[in-house]
Amino acid sequence: MSNGKSLKLWTVNVISIIIFVILCSTGLINWLVLPRGYEARGNFLVSLRHFFIALHEWVGLIFIVLIAIHIALHWPYIKSNLKKYGIMK
Ligand code: HEM
């Protein structure tokens, strides 16, 4: 693998893990910690919840794009394995 490609993969992977941690924390905090609906009325935590939902959704979108780039960068390897195991001609 060329140096340029390795650097791209490394960068995509490092950003992906950071983004994955943000996704896990915003998803789990919203689900398990922050109050919902009536419980949260008049409370600043409801704004935090809305902020986390928006963050989770946008970061989720970025994560999908990063995974697509990750797969594209590994495409020659994936293709050679698909051929090796007879899944692709
Ligand atoms: C591509 C990645 C992801 C996308 C596109 C995505 C998208 C979403 C969306 C649209 C919701 C609903 C938010 C709402 O209430 O409007 C949600 C909820 C949730 N997500 Fe994710 N998510 C992703 C990854 C993750 C990961 C990695 C975790 C790991 C723990 C996670 C945990 C959760 C949890 C626990 C909820 C429920 C929150 C609640 O009930 O309040 N998500 N996600």
Short mmCIF file of all heavy atoms in Angstrom, two decimals, residues 29-31 34-37 40 44-54:
data_model
loop_
_atom_site.label_atom_id
_atom_site.label_comp_id
_atom_site.label_asym_id
_atom_site.label_seq_id
_atom_site.Cartn_x
_atom_site.Cartn_y
_atom_site.Cartn_z
N ILE A 29 -26.15 8.34 26.77
CA ILE A 29 -26.55 9.35 27.78
C ILE A 29 -28.01 9.73 27.55
O ILE A 29 -28.81 9.80 28.49
CB ILE A 29 -25.62 10.59 27.74
CG1 ILE A 29 -24.23 10.23 28.26
CG2 ILE A 29 -26.20 11.74 28.56
CD1 ILE A 29 -23.18 11.30 28.07
N ASN A 30 -28.39 9.93 26.27
CA ASN A 30 -29.78 10.29 25.99
C ASN A 30 -30.75 9.18 26.40
O ASN A 30 -31.83 9.43 26.91
CB ASN A 30 -29.96 10.57 24.50
CG ASN A 30 -30.05 12.05 24.24
OD1 ASN A 30 -30.12 12.84 25.17
ND2 ASN A 30 -30.03 12.42 23.00
N TRP A 31 -30.34 7.96 26.16
CA TRP A 31 -31.23 6.83 26.43
C TRP A 31 -31.36 6.55 27.92
O TRP A 31 -32.45 6.38 28.46
CB TRP A 31 -30.68 5.60 25.68
CG TRP A 31 -31.43 4.34 25.91
CD1 TRP A 31 -32.79 4.19 26.08
CD2 TRP A 31 -30.89 3.01 25.99
NE1 TRP A 31 -33.11 2.88 26.26
CE2 TRP A 31 -31.97 2.13 26.21
CE3 TRP A 31 -29.60 2.49 25.87
CZ2 TRP A 31 -31.78 0.75 26.32
CZ3 TRP A 31 -29.43 1.12 25.99
CH2 TRP A 31 -30.51 0.27 26.20
N LEU A 34 -30.47 11.13 30.66
CA LEU A 34 -31.26 12.37 30.62
C LEU A 34 -32.76 12.10 30.73
O LEU A 34 -33.26 11.11 30.18
CB LEU A 34 -30.95 13.14 29.33
CG LEU A 34 -29.52 13.68 29.24
CD1 LEU A 34 -29.30 14.38 27.91
CD2 LEU A 34 -29.21 14.63 30.38
N PRO A 35 -33.48 12.98 31.44
CA PRO A 35 -34.93 12.78 31.57
C PRO A 35 -35.64 13.05 30.25
O PRO A 35 -35.15 13.81 29.43
CB PRO A 35 -35.32 13.85 32.61
CG PRO A 35 -34.25 14.88 32.54
CD PRO A 35 -33.00 14.18 32.11
N ARG A 36 -36.79 12.40 30.05
CA ARG A 36 -37.54 12.62 28.81
C ARG A 36 -38.91 13.21 29.14
O ARG A 36 -39.42 13.03 30.24
CB ARG A 36 -37.83 11.35 28.02
CG ARG A 36 -36.97 10.23 28.31
CD ARG A 36 -37.39 8.95 27.66
NE ARG A 36 -36.18 8.18 27.45
CZ ARG A 36 -35.74 7.80 26.28
NH1 ARG A 36 -36.43 8.03 25.20
NH2 ARG A 36 -34.62 7.15 26.19
N GLY A 37 -39.52 13.81 28.11
CA GLY A 37 -40.89 14.29 28.15
C GLY A 37 -41.24 15.07 29.41
O GLY A 37 -40.53 15.99 29.79
N ALA A 40 -38.85 16.15 32.23
CA ALA A 40 -37.80 17.13 31.98
C ALA A 40 -38.34 18.55 31.84
O ALA A 40 -37.60 19.45 31.55
CB ALA A 40 -37.07 16.75 30.70
N PHE A 44 -33.14 22.51 32.34
CA PHE A 44 -32.17 22.77 31.26
C PHE A 44 -31.72 21.45 30.61
O PHE A 44 -31.26 21.43 29.47
CB PHE A 44 -30.97 23.58 31.79
CG PHE A 44 -29.70 22.82 31.91
CD1 PHE A 44 -28.76 22.86 30.89
CD2 PHE A 44 -29.45 22.01 33.02
CE1 PHE A 44 -27.58 22.14 30.98
CE2 PHE A 44 -28.28 21.29 33.11
CZ PHE A 44 -27.34 21.35 32.09
N LEU A 45 -31.93 20.33 31.33
CA LEU A 45 -31.50 19.03 30.78
C LEU A 45 -32.24 18.69 29.49
O LEU A 45 -31.74 17.94 28.65
CB LEU A 45 -31.74 17.93 31.81
CG LEU A 45 -30.83 18.00 33.04
CD1 LEU A 45 -31.16 16.88 34.01
CD2 LEU A 45 -29.35 17.92 32.65
N VAL A 46 -33.44 19.28 29.32
CA VAL A 46 -34.20 19.00 28.09
C VAL A 46 -33.48 19.64 26.90
O VAL A 46 -33.44 19.06 25.80
CB VAL A 46 -35.68 19.44 28.21
CG1 VAL A 46 -35.87 20.93 28.09
CG2 VAL A 46 -36.52 18.73 27.17
N SER A 47 -32.83 20.81 27.11
CA SER A 47 -32.06 21.43 26.03
C SER A 47 -30.83 20.59 25.72
O SER A 47 -30.46 20.41 24.56
CB SER A 47 -31.58 22.82 26.41
OG SER A 47 -32.63 23.54 26.97
N LEU A 48 -30.24 20.06 26.77
CA LEU A 48 -29.06 19.21 26.59
C LEU A 48 -29.45 17.98 25.77
O LEU A 48 -28.74 17.55 24.86
CB LEU A 48 -28.52 18.79 27.96
CG LEU A 48 -27.17 18.11 27.96
CD1 LEU A 48 -26.09 19.03 27.39
CD2 LEU A 48 -26.76 17.69 29.38
N ARG A 49 -30.64 17.43 26.08
CA ARG A 49 -31.13 16.26 25.38
C ARG A 49 -31.32 16.57 23.89
O ARG A 49 -30.91 15.80 23.02
CB ARG A 49 -32.46 15.84 26.01
CG ARG A 49 -33.12 14.70 25.36
CD ARG A 49 -34.35 14.28 26.14
NE ARG A 49 -34.90 13.12 25.50
CZ ARG A 49 -34.37 11.92 25.61
NH1 ARG A 49 -33.33 11.70 26.36
NH2 ARG A 49 -34.89 10.90 24.97
N HIS A 50 -31.93 17.75 23.61
CA HIS A 50 -32.14 18.13 22.21
C HIS A 50 -30.81 18.34 21.50
O HIS A 50 -30.63 17.94 20.35
CB HIS A 50 -33.01 19.39 22.11
CG HIS A 50 -34.44 19.10 22.41
ND1 HIS A 50 -35.36 20.07 22.77
CD2 HIS A 50 -35.12 17.93 22.43
CE1 HIS A 50 -36.52 19.49 22.98
NE2 HIS A 50 -36.41 18.20 22.80
N PHE A 51 -29.86 18.94 22.23
CA PHE A 51 -28.54 19.16 21.65
C PHE A 51 -27.88 17.81 21.33
O PHE A 51 -27.32 17.61 20.25
CB PHE A 51 -27.67 19.98 22.63
CG PHE A 51 -26.24 20.07 22.21
CD1 PHE A 51 -25.88 20.81 21.10
CD2 PHE A 51 -25.25 19.42 22.93
CE1 PHE A 51 -24.55 20.89 20.69
CE2 PHE A 51 -23.92 19.49 22.54
CZ PHE A 51 -23.57 20.23 21.42
N PHE A 52 -27.98 16.86 22.26
CA PHE A 52 -27.36 15.55 22.05
C PHE A 52 -28.02 14.79 20.90
O PHE A 52 -27.35 14.08 20.16
CB PHE A 52 -27.44 14.70 23.33
CG PHE A 52 -26.30 14.98 24.30
CD1 PHE A 52 -25.33 15.91 24.01
CD2 PHE A 52 -26.22 14.29 25.50
CE1 PHE A 52 -24.29 16.16 24.89
CE2 PHE A 52 -25.18 14.53 26.39
CZ PHE A 52 -24.22 15.46 26.10
N ILE A 53 -29.34 14.94 20.76
CA ILE A 53 -30.03 14.25 19.65
C ILE A 53 -29.50 14.80 18.32
O ILE A 53 -29.13 14.04 17.42
CB ILE A 53 -31.57 14.41 19.75
CG1 ILE A 53 -32.10 13.58 20.91
CG2 ILE A 53 -32.24 13.97 18.45
CD1 ILE A 53 -33.58 13.80 21.21
N ALA A 54 -29.42 16.15 18.21
CA ALA A 54 -28.94 16.78 16.97
C ALA A 54 -27.50 16.34 16.70
O ALA A 54 -27.15 15.95 15.58
CB ALA A 54 -29.05 18.28 17.06
#
